[in-house]
Amino acid sequence: MGEFKSFDEFQRELHGLPKKEEPAVRFPEEPSESEYQPESEYEEHKTKHHRRRRESRLRPSRPSGLSWKKLFYGTVGVLIIVVLVFLFCPVPLGDITVQGSNAVTKNDVLFEGQIKQPVNVLQISTGKLEERLTQDIRISSVKVWREFPFDIKVAINDRVPCAVVQGDYDYAVLDKDGVVMKTETSLKDTDLPIITGKKLGNILLGDRITDPSVLKGIKFFSSLSPAGFRLFSEINVGQANNLIAYTRDGLALRLGTGKDIVKQAKLSQNMVGDVKARNLAVEYIDVNPSAPFIKLKK
């Protein structure tokens, strides 16, 4: 049986035409061993790929190192600006509390400490404030400290007037340390005991008396209790070996040299109290700590 020919080929042979060339058929090339992948391995690779993509979507993104640096330096910069504002600008922060004084007010502390308002405790040096307040003649001692969180405490011990002594032109009011608290032209407005027998020179405010006899007189009055202080009006220190104290009703107490003036002050208070309680007529009292006695009037 002959080879099957198409009608088109038959016509070409009949008319002596050349045969029509058939297009070459291309078959797919076999994959190389490196490119070939079994179906099971391909499926496994595909599964791992999808799993990694899903995990990357679920995992939160981390900021880069540069972002953390920007955040850190930005925070530090803001804190520095805030600190500078509180240190140098008139921003109110905290308060000052004054304790223990009947003479010095908070306004006095602000004025003497050269503290501007509104008060900012970060701008205040406690050491400088304490030093300035010690210059106030009304203050015997002062302590300044900081208290958490933003408070400054000022504890003040007032100077307490103890006695009066005469100067060349006026009278000086002294505290227990012999510091001149104020001066008076007369004794009309004072009820303080006076130290007589010594006339000091030109006495100025803030001066500190150093005369030993005057200091013994001050020590006598400052060693009395408040009730005993009201019993006495004078101490004469004109003779260093014969100090004499006087009560307000004129009773004399001989103190000798005043060597044990603190003990003698307390003993004097007790003996005067005993005389008043017994209503005795007394010429004088000898306040000798080792052998005290009361001289009665005849």
Side-chain angles (χ1 to χ4, degrees):
M1 189 174 195
E3 183 181 356
F4 175 79
K5 297 179 180 178
S6 66
F7 180 77
D8 186 46
E9 290 177 350
F10 176 76
Q11 289 289 337
R12 285 181 176 277
E13 289 181 1
L14 181 63
H15 294 286
L17 296 175
K19 291 183 179 182
K20 186 178 179 181
E21 294 183 1
E22 294 289 336
V25 179
R26 293 182 176 273
F27 293 94
E29 297 181 359
E30 291 292 330
S32 64
E33 291 183 2
S34 61
E35 294 178 351
Y36 178 77
Q37 186 175 15
E39 183 178 356
S40 60
E41 293 183 7
Y42 171 76
E43 292 296 334
E44 183 180 356
H45 174 74
K46 185 177 180 181
T47 303
K48 290 181 179 180
H49 175 70
H50 285 292
R51 186 182 298 116
R52 283 196 297 267
R53 291 185 61 187
R54 184 169 63 254
E55 289 177 354
S56 65
R57 288 196 299 268
L58 295 176
R59 188 183 301 117
S61 60
R62 296 182 179 178
S64 64
L66 183 60
S67 299
W68 277 105
K69 288 182 180 179
K70 288 182 178 180
L71 180 61
F72 173 76
Y73 288 122
T75 303
V76 172
V78 171
L79 291 176
I80 291 175
I81 292 173
V82 171
V83 171
L84 291 176
V85 167
F86 280 112
L87 285 176
F88 299 104
C89 296
V91 179
L93 181 66
D95 199 7
I96 295 177
T97 304
V98 180
Q99 302 174 343
S101 178
N102 295 320
V104 181
T105 65
K106 178 181 174 180
N107 288 334
D108 294 331
V109 172
L110 296 179
F111 176 77
E112 295 178 16
Q114 300 178 6
I115 299 171
K116 298 179 181 179
Q117 296 194 47
V119 174
N120 185 333
V121 295
L122 295 182
Q123 299 174 357
I124 300 173
S125 168
T126 55
K128 289 183 179 179
L129 177 58
E130 186 172 306
E131 182 180 356
R132 289 185 178 125
L133 290 176
T134 56
Q135 307 303 316
D136 190 327
I137 200 65
R138 298 170 296 175
I139 297 176
S140 176
S141 63
V142 59
K143 181 67 176 178
V144 180
W145 73 95
R146 294 186 185 275
E147 194 166 278
F148 183 83
F150 300 111
D151 197 12
I152 289 181
K153 300 291 186 182
V154 181
I156 295 175
N157 290 322
D158 292 336
R159 289 195 186 277
V160 178
C162 181
V164 177
V165 65
Q166 187 177 6
D168 284 340
Y169 308 104
D170 47 20
Y171 295 91
V173 177
L174 309 176
D175 78 335
K176 63 182 181 63
D177 298 318
V179 175
V180 179
M181 295 179 58
K182 61 180 179 178
T183 57
E184 304 280 353
T185 56
S186 67
L187 297 177
K188 294 180 180 179
D189 299 327
T190 183
D191 195 35
L192 294 171
I194 185 171
I195 299 174
T196 57
K198 282 287 183 76
K199 185 176 181 181
L200 303 180
N202 187 21
I203 303 173
L204 301 177
L205 190 66
D207 285 349
R208 185 180 291 269
I209 305 303
T210 58
D211 184 280
S213 298
V214 174
L215 291 178
K216 284 183 179 179
I218 294 172
K219 181 65 71 174
F220 177 84
F221 292 129
S222 63
S223 300
L224 299 169
S225 70
F229 185 79
R230 292 190 292 269
L231 294 175
F232 293 87
S233 61
E234 178 187 346
I235 184 170
N236 188 296
V237 296
Q239 298 180 24
N241 296 326
N242 188 26
L243 306 184
I244 302 175
Y246 296 92
T247 64
R248 294 187 181 272
D249 54 7
L251 177 60
L253 293 92
R254 298 179 180 180
L255 304 173
T257 61
K259 181 180 178 181
D260 299 319
I261 196 67
V262 174
K263 291 182 179 180
Q264 288 177 303
K266 296 176 180 179
L267 183 57
S268 298
Q269 179 178 330
N270 292 334
M271 295 180 74
V272 170
D274 186 52
V275 167
K276 289 182 174 296
R278 297 166 59 184
N279 197 22
L280 299 176
V282 176
E283 184 175 342
Y284 65 89
I285 299 175
D286 191 323
V287 189
N288 185 338
S290 58
F293 70 93
I294 299 173
K295 175 67 174 179
L296 299 175
K297 290 182 179 179
K298 294 183 179 179

